[in-house]
Each structure stands twice: as C-alpha cells, then as structure tokens.
C-alpha cells in the first residue's frame, strides 16, 4: 500500500514538473488562428530536438482556393537585413572595413544636405538604425491602393535614388542619439559592400552565405517581378476598402529587402548564424549588442531591442530569442532562434494589412503566440 502511494506521488510530481511539449497539433492550431485573425495563408516551420515540424493553413490563392504549398517561396522583406549585416560583419572581421568607419569613408558626398552628414554617421549606425536617416521610399512601401499598385508594381529605383530622396528630409536625430528604422541605411550598406569588395551586395551574400550553407531556395530575383513556383500569392489589404488585392508581382531592388526564400532556408540561415557558423565569436558578439527600439514599435513588439541586423525579444518562459522579420507588399515574415540555439521558428504570412491598426495588432499577436509557444516548447 505504501509503495503504491509513493508511486502515485512520484507520478504526480512528474506530471507537475514536465509540461506538455509543443507538437504538430499545437502548430496546426496556431497557424489556423493566424488565418482566422485576417490573412489569406500561412506556412510555419518549427525546429528543435533534431527535427522540424511544418504546418500550413488558409489558401495559396483566394480565387482557386488552392492549398498553401509546403516550403513554398516568398519575399523575405527585411529579413534580408540579417544577410547583409552578416556580410558586413564578415568584412569587418577580415579587416576590409571597420564598424566605426564613416559612411563618407566609403560613399563620399552621398549622404549630405538638410542636416544629414555622412561624415558623422558610422557603418554601425546604419546597421543598428541609429543614423537618424528618414525613409522616403517611393515604392513599394508608399503603395496605398490597388490603383497605385497597378501603376507602379514594375517600378525600380537605384540605391542612389532612394538615398537622394531621403536627403530631402532633416534627420530625426543626430547619429547615435536615437533609434529609427531606416531602410535607406541598408540601401547605403549595399553600396558600401560593393565598394569594399568590388562586387554587388547580393553576389557577396550568395558567395559568403547562400552557397556555403547550401541554401538552394534562396534567390536574388535579378529584376524579375515573379516568384518561383511553388508559392502562395501575396495579398495586401489597403485602407481603400477594396478587400484583398493580389500584390504578388513587384520588384524590390536594394539591400533593405530583396531576396526570395523558403521557411527551410531561413531556418538554416538563422540557426547557422546564431550558432556561430558564419561569424567569429567577436563579430557575433558585436551583432548581438542591442539598443531599445523606438517607443511606437514597442507597442507591436514589447521588449524588443535591436542589434546589428538582428531583433531581440523576450520570451514568456524566460530568456530571449533573436531573428529578423520582414514586411513587404503581400508578405509578412517572422523568425526566431532561442538564445541557446536549440529551437527555432520561421513563419511566412501571405498577407499584409494596412487597413486597420487594430487588425494588424491582432495578426501580430496571433503570430507572437505561435512563436512564444514554439520556442518555449509549451502548449
């Protein structure tokens, strides 16, 4: 009787101390919740304990109702910044540039006017969004209706043109004295990579990151507005009350967000990066040094901090995770790797909503729920 009692107590202690682990049914429910929050389709990949789980929900095409493809292609948007930052840090480790170099050292006279001064902005400032440079992107971020999309989906702008438009605005603050997300800063970093290597930034990413890691589904579109097959169609919901507008086709030509990839490739990249396979310890440590993001972004990403091309966020189970998301017409990407590198998650949402701040926060909350549960490994 006493032995039986001890066995019951031991079973109870085990049940209390071992929380149910996050599994395939949980992932499936979470992607369905994201779709229910107001998007067309989702694919998500969770990796841990030497295996990956993948789940899709919603549809790839609202017209045909075809299913979201397994490991389909999508535009990664600003997740691109982590690739560019990795190359810049590799170059710093090789002594080909310094994080403390001024922008003018590499791009003399390009950043000037209205108080902008490339002699006072460092490479580190560009990487960490502490330059104060204000974005003035004509496309795709300025598109606000299906009419504008039809007129401009094929437009392209050089990094020099993008930077020139930004120079029409006074900086938000002196370099290093604040934080403001600046795609223009990464357009400038792409030019700096070319100056330091004599090769376009995307070729350096291919040579230094994509090929060594065997990322066979990560591609530079080279001026094409199309996505490789298979892929879900990307949709945008504007404030013009037009519903879901197919914005799959467009071009994004600079280092702020140009690559196309898959959840499997992004998972391999971020786990390799944070696992020390792409950078030496000293450069990886620099990449992981963070500053607080702007207050308005804290509403969307509570507790977020920004490193050099990486976002750090707290986990409800303790600790933090690192990654970099991306938002671009038609697609929303979120990534995360736990600080110990044992678990990772990549989510691609084939809808961007601009019609309602409340709706956008609901989608973000549903995505966060998946990320937190998957990385904490709790149901």
């Amino acid at each position: 009787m006493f032995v039986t009692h001890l066995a019951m107590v031991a079973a109870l202690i085990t049940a209390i101390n071992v929380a149910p682990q996050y599994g395939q049914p949980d992932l499936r429910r979470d992607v369905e919740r994201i779709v229910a929050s107001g998007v067309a389709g989702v694919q998500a990949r969770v990796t841990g304990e030497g295996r990956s789980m993948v789940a899709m929900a919603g549809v790839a095409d609202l017209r045909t109702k075809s299913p979201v493809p397994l490991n389909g292609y999508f535009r990664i948007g600003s997740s691109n910044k982590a690739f560019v930052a990795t190359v810049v840090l590799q170059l710093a480790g090789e002594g080909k540039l310094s994080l403390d170099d001024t922008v003018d050292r590499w791009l003399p006279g390009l950043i000037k006017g209205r108080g902008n001064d490339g002699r006072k902005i460092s490479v580190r400032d560009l990487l960490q969004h502490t330059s104060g440079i204000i974005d003035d992107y004509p496309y795709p971020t300025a598109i606000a209706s299906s009419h504008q999309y039809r007129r401009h989906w094929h437009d392209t702008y050089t990094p020099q043109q993008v930077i020139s438009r930004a120079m029409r605005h006074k900086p938000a603050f002196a370099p290093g004295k604040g934080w403001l997300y600046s795609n223009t800063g990464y357009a400038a970093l792409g030019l700096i990579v070319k100056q330091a290597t004599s090769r376009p930034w995307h070729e350096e990413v291919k040579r230094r990151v994509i090929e060594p890691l065997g990322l066979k589904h990560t591609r530079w579109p080279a001026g094409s507005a199309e996505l490789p097959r298979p892929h879900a169609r990307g949709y945008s919901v504007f404030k013009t009350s037009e519903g879901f507008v197919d914005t799959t086709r467009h071009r994004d030509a600079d280092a702020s967000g140009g690559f196309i990839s898959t959840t499997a490739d992004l998972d391999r990249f971020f786990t390799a990066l944070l696992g020390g396979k792409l950078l030496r310890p000293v450069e990886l440590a620099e990449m992981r040094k963070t500053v607080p993001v702007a207050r308005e972004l804290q509403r969307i990403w509570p507790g977020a901090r920004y490193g050099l091309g990486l976002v750090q966020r707290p986990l409800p189970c303790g600790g933090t995770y690192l990654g970099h998301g991306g938002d671009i017409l038609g697609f929303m990407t979120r990534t995360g790797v736990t600080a110990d590198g044992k678990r990772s998650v990549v989510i691609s949402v084939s809808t961007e909503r601009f019609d309602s701040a409340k709706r956008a926060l609901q989608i973000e909350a549903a995505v966060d729920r998946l990320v937190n549960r998957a990385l904490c490994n709790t149901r």
Side-chain angles (χ1 to χ4, degrees):
M1 186 74 173
F2 180 68
V3 173
T4 303
H5 177 71
L6 286 178
M8 291 174 64
V9 171
L12 179 61
I13 291 172
T14 299
I16 292 172
N17 290 335
V18 180
Q21 293 188 334
Y22 191 80
Q24 185 74 42
D26 305 297
L27 180 58
R28 179 69 191 178
R29 281 194 293 271
D30 281 344
V31 293
E32 288 173 348
R33 286 189 179 106
I34 295 172
V35 170
S37 70
V39 304
V42 180
Q43 58 167 306
R45 179 178 299 268
V46 176
T47 302
E49 293 78 48
R51 67 188 184 95
S52 288
M53 301 182 295
V54 183
M56 295 83 70
V59 296
D61 188 320
L62 289 172
R63 221 174 16 89
T64 66
K65 308 301 181 186
S66 56
V68 174
L70 175 68
N71 204 38
Y73 290 93
F74 53 89
R75 302 185 194 281
I76 70 173
S78 285
S79 296
N80 203 86
K81 291 179 172 66
F83 286 85
V84 174
T86 299
V87 168
V88 172
L89 284 158
Q90 286 180 349
L91 293 172
E94 295 163 10
K96 295 179 179 177
L97 57 75
S98 168
L99 298 181
D100 296 321
D101 284 345
T102 65
V103 175
D104 239 43
R105 157 77 174 79
W106 293 100
L107 308 173
L110 187 60
I111 293 181
K112 66 178 182 179
R114 301 281 292 172
N116 297 283
D117 191 344
R119 297 170 301 177
K120 298 178 181 179
I121 298 170
S122 69
V123 171
R124 185 190 300 275
D125 286 326
L126 297 181
L127 288 166
Q128 199 155 41
H129 302 296
T130 55
S131 68
I133 296 173
I134 291 177
D135 280 339
D136 184 3
Y137 264 64
Y139 179 81
T141 54
I143 296 298
S145 68
S146 64
H147 174 69
Q148 290 183 6
Y149 172 73
R150 288 193 300 272
R151 286 189 62 188
H152 297 290
W153 68 263
H154 46 76
D155 290 357
T156 58
Y157 293 85
T158 67
Q160 290 87 346
Q161 288 173 318
V162 166
I163 292 167
S164 177
R165 289 178 65 97
M167 296 303 99
R168 302 187 302 188
H169 304 272
K170 293 180 180 180
F173 46 79
K177 301 300 182 181
W179 191 92
L180 177 70
Y181 197 86
S182 177
N183 289 299
T184 305
Y186 271 76
L189 284 167
L191 294 176
I192 290 172
V193 169
K194 186 174 182 179
Q195 287 294 104
T197 66
S198 299
R199 282 181 289 267
W201 68 269
H202 52 87
E203 288 186 10
E204 283 298 296
V205 170
K206 182 179 180 181
R207 188 172 74 90
R208 292 169 171 270
V209 178
I210 293 172
E211 290 178 343
L213 293 182
L215 306 182
K216 297 181 179 178
H217 302 287
T218 300
R219 304 180 182 181
W220 171 244
S224 172
E226 307 296 334
L227 283 176
R229 295 182 183 277
H231 65 83
R233 303 204 69 77
Y235 295 94
S236 298
V237 183
F238 302 111
K239 291 182 178 180
T240 45
S241 303
E242 302 171 272
F244 287 74
V245 177
D246 188 335
T247 54
T248 307
R249 300 176 71 199
H250 60 85
R251 297 181 173 96
D252 191 9
D254 66 44
S256 69
F259 271 104
I260 291 164
S261 192
T262 63
T263 58
D265 271 15
L266 284 187
D267 177 75
R268 185 178 299 178
F269 164 65
F270 279 105
T271 53
L273 171 61
L274 293 163
K277 295 180 180 178
L278 292 170
L279 296 174
R280 299 184 313 169
V282 63
E283 280 76 47
L284 184 57
E286 287 293 326
M287 194 178 210
R288 296 177 66 152
K289 289 180 181 177
T290 61
V291 296
V293 304
R295 187 179 302 172
E296 57 269 22
L297 200 54
Q298 292 280 352
R299 289 182 59 244
I300 305 171
W301 300 340
R305 299 176 64 87
Y306 202 94
L308 305 185
L310 282 179
V311 177
Q312 175 185 287
R313 294 191 61 193
L315 283 167
C317 54
T320 61
Y321 71 91
L322 290 151
H324 204 300
D327 294 274
I328 193 168
L329 276 182
F331 296 95
M332 168 182 169
T333 305
R334 295 293 180 265
T335 68
V337 181
T338 54
D340 61 10
K342 292 183 178 179
R343 294 187 67 80
S344 62
V345 61
V346 180
I347 304 166
S348 173
V349 179
S350 55
T351 304
E352 273 280 272
R353 296 200 66 144
F354 309 98
D355 57 325
S356 161
K358 181 179 179 181
R359 175 73 75 174
L361 286 171
Q362 288 172 342
I363 295 168
E364 201 74 54
V367 170
D368 273 356
R369 176 186 173 91
L370 191 160
V371 171
N372 290 333
R373 281 158 40 97
L375 295 184
C376 286
N377 200 18
T378 55
R379 301 178 66 180

